Amino acid sequence: MKKLNLLYLSALIAGILTLGACDDEDNAPGNPVMDIKTEVGSACFGDSLEFTVNASDADVPLSTLKAQLYFSEEMVGETVIRTKESGVDYTGKIYVPFLKNVPDGTATLKFILQNIHFTITEQTVAVACTRPQYDHLVLVAEDGTQYDMPRTGQNQYAVTAEFPQKLNAYIVAPAYGAAGNELTFGYSNGEIVDGSTANIPFSNLEAGEYTVTFNTLTYEAGPFLTVNMNGQEFTQVDANTMKVEMALTQGEAITFEGVPDYESWWIDPDFFAEDAEGNLTFVPISGNYRVTADMQKQYFKVEVLDGAMSDATLQDDGTGALWIVGGSGSKGTEAIGKPSHAGAPSWDGGNGAICMSPIAPTTYQITLVAGQQITSDGANFKFYGGKNWANEYKSDRMSTDSDIFVVNPGPNDDGNVWLAEGVTLEEGATYVITVDMSDPAHAVMHAVKK
């Protein structure tokens, strides 16, 4: 019996020793080794930099090979390759980004080889990066016409041609060298960015021969019109609009400068009173406002802002802002919009919302010419205390003493404003709608024909 126990004990000890040996082997850190086989000492911004690395580990299976590109301390690119075999070559590419205001300099390319036990080895390579000096760029107008922009200096390109007053276009840089990529420069959030084909809103005071320029280092370009309101410069929003946000005073004289074809612009009478000489004064109460110059529709859209320069909303005491949404502008019936009901954004609570003019602290006004800002044979719109469908006014809080318009009592389209039964607006006649919000729980709409 003792002999059997001794045999069992010996076998158990041998098993434990064997398991321990296996466990030590499984936990071995390994030794990743890499050999960089390509010269990667220089590159141009915008290149796809190719590399080949031989990766091996004699003891532990490999996991990944990473190539990371750093400008100073910031990683600006990374390529990850799965390394399923040891002792073979792995080839990949890493993009050298083309960034604004980054001067020529030395980047760091870091290679990191890792095995399945998270043991790593690293090697770094210095890469001299330079900005390409193209023979030319290509200006692509929105109608598809292409213009060569020859290089006129370091990073500077220009083309002189017959252009329209407003030139919407983007810029293409051809692939530069064997590792280069075609690049584009377009417009986003009021500035020129790489990687975009959205049109840049170039503009000149008038159509004719002028020069378009672009700098591939600073992204500075021109020409752009400088539009001012009372000496404050508008900033570009997109290819068709510019805006300025500022405090304005009721009765203040208003002047616009640099507006192309200003004589053709529609002046909104709810916000700007115009005398016989064309002089403008500000109509609403004093406060903060956003004025958007719409170069395509040729009018100044005005919206009320709060103290934080955000879209204003109706307050509990009836002050603030009142918005109109509605009208099926795409159908051409029951439409409302400025400067014209044609093509109005319809029931879009964001882009389509019309801000009424606060002519008094709790009184809001909109002026409509039948056949121009409102269709003569139908109306269908609604009041809101905030942009984007906020604080909807239904018939429980909105009534009217008008014999021109009615506030629908529901249940369908509750609160929508329609033409009264049998009423057709007189084509070319002016109708002024005001809303009294002195008691926001019992708002009253008035309407008169001028």
Side-chain angles (χ1 to χ4, degrees), residues 32 34 55 61-67 79-84 90 111-116 119-121:
M34 58 180 161
L62 293 171
S63 175
T64 57
L65 170 66
K66 295 179 181 179
T79 298
V80 180
I81 301 173
R82 296 290 297 173
T83 49
K84 296 181 179 180
Y90 292 94
F111 294 100
I112 305 170
L113 182 62
Q114 177 179 303
N115 65 22
I116 63 171
T119 303
I120 65 171
T121 185

Short mmCIF file of all heavy atoms in Angstrom, two decimals, residues 32 34 55 61-67 79-84 90 111-116 119-121:
data_model
loop_
_atom_site.label_atom_id
_atom_site.label_comp_id
_atom_site.label_asym_id
_atom_site.label_seq_id
_atom_site.Cartn_x
_atom_site.Cartn_y
_atom_site.Cartn_z
N PRO A 32 10.62 40.45 -29.55
CA PRO A 32 10.30 40.96 -30.88
C PRO A 32 11.50 41.66 -31.50
O PRO A 32 12.16 42.47 -30.84
CB PRO A 32 9.15 41.95 -30.63
CG PRO A 32 8.64 41.63 -29.25
CD PRO A 32 9.82 41.10 -28.49
N MET A 34 12.80 43.67 -35.15
CA MET A 34 12.41 44.20 -36.47
C MET A 34 13.61 44.79 -37.18
O MET A 34 14.53 45.33 -36.56
CB MET A 34 11.26 45.20 -36.36
CG MET A 34 11.50 46.39 -35.50
SD MET A 34 10.03 47.46 -35.50
CE MET A 34 10.33 48.42 -34.01
N ALA A 55 9.67 41.48 -39.45
CA ALA A 55 9.31 41.32 -38.05
C ALA A 55 9.44 39.86 -37.63
O ALA A 55 9.01 38.95 -38.35
CB ALA A 55 7.88 41.80 -37.83
N PRO A 61 4.52 34.18 -30.43
CA PRO A 61 3.87 34.70 -31.64
C PRO A 61 3.72 36.22 -31.60
O PRO A 61 3.50 36.81 -30.55
CB PRO A 61 2.51 34.01 -31.63
CG PRO A 61 2.71 32.77 -30.82
CD PRO A 61 3.71 33.14 -29.77
N LEU A 62 3.84 36.82 -32.77
CA LEU A 62 3.70 38.27 -32.89
C LEU A 62 2.23 38.68 -32.89
O LEU A 62 1.35 37.87 -33.17
CB LEU A 62 4.38 38.76 -34.16
CG LEU A 62 5.91 38.62 -34.21
CD1 LEU A 62 6.42 38.95 -35.60
CD2 LEU A 62 6.56 39.54 -33.17
N SER A 63 2.00 39.97 -32.63
CA SER A 63 0.63 40.51 -32.63
C SER A 63 0.45 41.60 -33.67
O SER A 63 -0.28 41.44 -34.63
CB SER A 63 0.28 41.06 -31.24
OG SER A 63 -0.98 41.69 -31.24
N THR A 64 1.13 42.75 -33.48
CA THR A 64 0.93 43.89 -34.40
C THR A 64 2.23 44.62 -34.64
O THR A 64 3.15 44.64 -33.81
CB THR A 64 -0.08 44.90 -33.82
OG1 THR A 64 0.38 45.35 -32.54
CG2 THR A 64 -1.46 44.31 -33.71
N LEU A 65 2.26 45.25 -35.81
CA LEU A 65 3.31 46.22 -36.14
C LEU A 65 2.61 47.56 -36.35
O LEU A 65 1.70 47.67 -37.17
CB LEU A 65 4.06 45.81 -37.41
CG LEU A 65 5.03 46.84 -37.99
CD1 LEU A 65 6.19 47.10 -37.04
CD2 LEU A 65 5.53 46.42 -39.36
N LYS A 66 3.03 48.57 -35.61
CA LYS A 66 2.45 49.90 -35.74
C LYS A 66 3.49 50.87 -36.28
O LYS A 66 4.66 50.84 -35.86
CB LYS A 66 1.96 50.42 -34.38
CG LYS A 66 0.80 49.63 -33.79
CD LYS A 66 0.39 50.21 -32.43
CE LYS A 66 -0.75 49.41 -31.82
NZ LYS A 66 -1.15 49.96 -30.50
N ALA A 67 3.04 51.73 -37.20
CA ALA A 67 3.85 52.86 -37.66
C ALA A 67 3.12 54.12 -37.24
O ALA A 67 1.95 54.33 -37.59
CB ALA A 67 4.03 52.82 -39.17
N THR A 79 -0.58 53.68 -38.75
CA THR A 79 -0.94 52.50 -39.53
C THR A 79 -0.67 51.28 -38.67
O THR A 79 0.39 51.16 -38.06
CB THR A 79 -0.12 52.41 -40.83
OG1 THR A 79 -0.41 53.56 -41.64
CG2 THR A 79 -0.46 51.15 -41.61
N VAL A 80 -1.66 50.37 -38.60
CA VAL A 80 -1.54 49.15 -37.79
C VAL A 80 -1.63 47.94 -38.71
O VAL A 80 -2.56 47.82 -39.52
CB VAL A 80 -2.63 49.07 -36.71
CG1 VAL A 80 -2.48 47.80 -35.88
CG2 VAL A 80 -2.57 50.31 -35.80
N ILE A 81 -0.66 47.04 -38.60
CA ILE A 81 -0.61 45.83 -39.43
C ILE A 81 -0.63 44.61 -38.51
O ILE A 81 0.14 44.53 -37.54
CB ILE A 81 0.66 45.80 -40.32
CG1 ILE A 81 0.69 47.04 -41.23
CG2 ILE A 81 0.72 44.52 -41.14
CD1 ILE A 81 1.99 47.17 -42.01
N ARG A 82 -1.50 43.65 -38.78
CA ARG A 82 -1.50 42.39 -38.04
C ARG A 82 -0.32 41.54 -38.51
O ARG A 82 -0.10 41.33 -39.70
CB ARG A 82 -2.80 41.63 -38.29
CG ARG A 82 -4.04 42.33 -37.76
CD ARG A 82 -4.10 42.34 -36.25
NE ARG A 82 -4.18 41.00 -35.71
CZ ARG A 82 -4.11 40.71 -34.42
NH1 ARG A 82 -3.94 41.67 -33.54
NH2 ARG A 82 -4.19 39.45 -34.00
N THR A 83 0.45 41.04 -37.55
CA THR A 83 1.64 40.25 -37.86
C THR A 83 1.40 38.78 -37.50
O THR A 83 1.69 38.36 -36.37
CB THR A 83 2.85 40.81 -37.09
OG1 THR A 83 2.49 40.96 -35.71
CG2 THR A 83 3.27 42.15 -37.64
N LYS A 84 0.87 38.04 -38.43
CA LYS A 84 0.49 36.65 -38.15
C LYS A 84 1.67 35.68 -38.23
O LYS A 84 1.63 34.59 -37.67
CB LYS A 84 -0.60 36.22 -39.14
CG LYS A 84 -1.90 36.99 -38.98
CD LYS A 84 -2.95 36.50 -39.95
CE LYS A 84 -4.25 37.26 -39.78
NZ LYS A 84 -5.29 36.78 -40.73
N TYR A 90 6.75 42.89 -43.82
CA TYR A 90 5.44 43.53 -43.80
C TYR A 90 5.57 44.92 -44.42
O TYR A 90 6.45 45.70 -44.05
CB TYR A 90 4.89 43.63 -42.38
CG TYR A 90 4.55 42.29 -41.78
CD1 TYR A 90 5.49 41.60 -41.00
CD2 TYR A 90 3.32 41.70 -42.01
CE1 TYR A 90 5.19 40.36 -40.46
CE2 TYR A 90 3.00 40.46 -41.47
CZ TYR A 90 3.94 39.80 -40.70
OH TYR A 90 3.63 38.57 -40.17
N PHE A 111 8.26 53.04 -35.17
CA PHE A 111 7.79 51.68 -35.44
C PHE A 111 7.72 50.93 -34.10
O PHE A 111 8.67 50.96 -33.32
CB PHE A 111 8.72 50.94 -36.40
CG PHE A 111 8.75 51.52 -37.79
CD1 PHE A 111 9.78 52.36 -38.20
CD2 PHE A 111 7.72 51.23 -38.68
CE1 PHE A 111 9.79 52.89 -39.48
CE2 PHE A 111 7.73 51.76 -39.96
CZ PHE A 111 8.76 52.59 -40.36
N ILE A 112 6.61 50.27 -33.87
CA ILE A 112 6.40 49.53 -32.62
C ILE A 112 5.96 48.10 -32.97
O ILE A 112 4.91 47.91 -33.61
CB ILE A 112 5.32 50.18 -31.74
CG1 ILE A 112 5.67 51.65 -31.46
CG2 ILE A 112 5.14 49.41 -30.43
CD1 ILE A 112 4.55 52.43 -30.81
N LEU A 113 6.75 47.13 -32.59
CA LEU A 113 6.43 45.72 -32.82
C LEU A 113 6.05 45.09 -31.48
O LEU A 113 6.78 45.21 -30.50
CB LEU A 113 7.62 44.99 -33.44
CG LEU A 113 7.41 43.51 -33.77
CD1 LEU A 113 6.30 43.32 -34.81
CD2 LEU A 113 8.71 42.87 -34.26
N GLN A 114 4.91 44.41 -31.48
CA GLN A 114 4.39 43.83 -30.23
C GLN A 114 4.03 42.36 -30.44
O GLN A 114 3.47 41.99 -31.49
CB GLN A 114 3.15 44.61 -29.79
CG GLN A 114 2.47 44.07 -28.54
CD GLN A 114 1.27 44.90 -28.15
OE1 GLN A 114 1.39 46.10 -27.92
NE2 GLN A 114 0.11 44.28 -28.07
N ASN A 115 4.36 41.51 -29.43
CA ASN A 115 3.93 40.12 -29.50
C ASN A 115 2.68 39.92 -28.64
O ASN A 115 2.16 40.86 -28.03
CB ASN A 115 5.07 39.16 -29.12
CG ASN A 115 5.49 39.31 -27.66
OD1 ASN A 115 4.75 39.79 -26.81
ND2 ASN A 115 6.72 38.87 -27.37
N ILE A 116 2.18 38.68 -28.61
CA ILE A 116 0.91 38.42 -27.92
C ILE A 116 1.03 38.55 -26.42
O ILE A 116 0.01 38.57 -25.71
CB ILE A 116 0.34 37.04 -28.30
CG1 ILE A 116 1.29 35.92 -27.83
CG2 ILE A 116 0.06 36.95 -29.78
CD1 ILE A 116 0.68 34.53 -27.97
N THR A 119 4.89 42.28 -25.12
CA THR A 119 6.27 42.73 -25.15
C THR A 119 6.49 43.52 -26.43
O THR A 119 6.08 43.07 -27.51
CB THR A 119 7.24 41.54 -25.10
OG1 THR A 119 6.95 40.76 -23.93
CG2 THR A 119 8.68 42.00 -25.05
N ILE A 120 7.11 44.65 -26.32
CA ILE A 120 7.29 45.51 -27.50
C ILE A 120 8.74 45.88 -27.68
O ILE A 120 9.55 45.87 -26.75
CB ILE A 120 6.44 46.79 -27.40
CG1 ILE A 120 6.93 47.68 -26.24
CG2 ILE A 120 4.97 46.48 -27.26
CD1 ILE A 120 6.28 49.05 -26.21
N THR A 121 9.04 46.22 -28.93
CA THR A 121 10.31 46.84 -29.26
C THR A 121 10.01 48.02 -30.16
O THR A 121 9.05 47.99 -30.96
CB THR A 121 11.26 45.84 -29.94
OG1 THR A 121 12.53 46.48 -30.13
CG2 THR A 121 10.72 45.39 -31.30
#
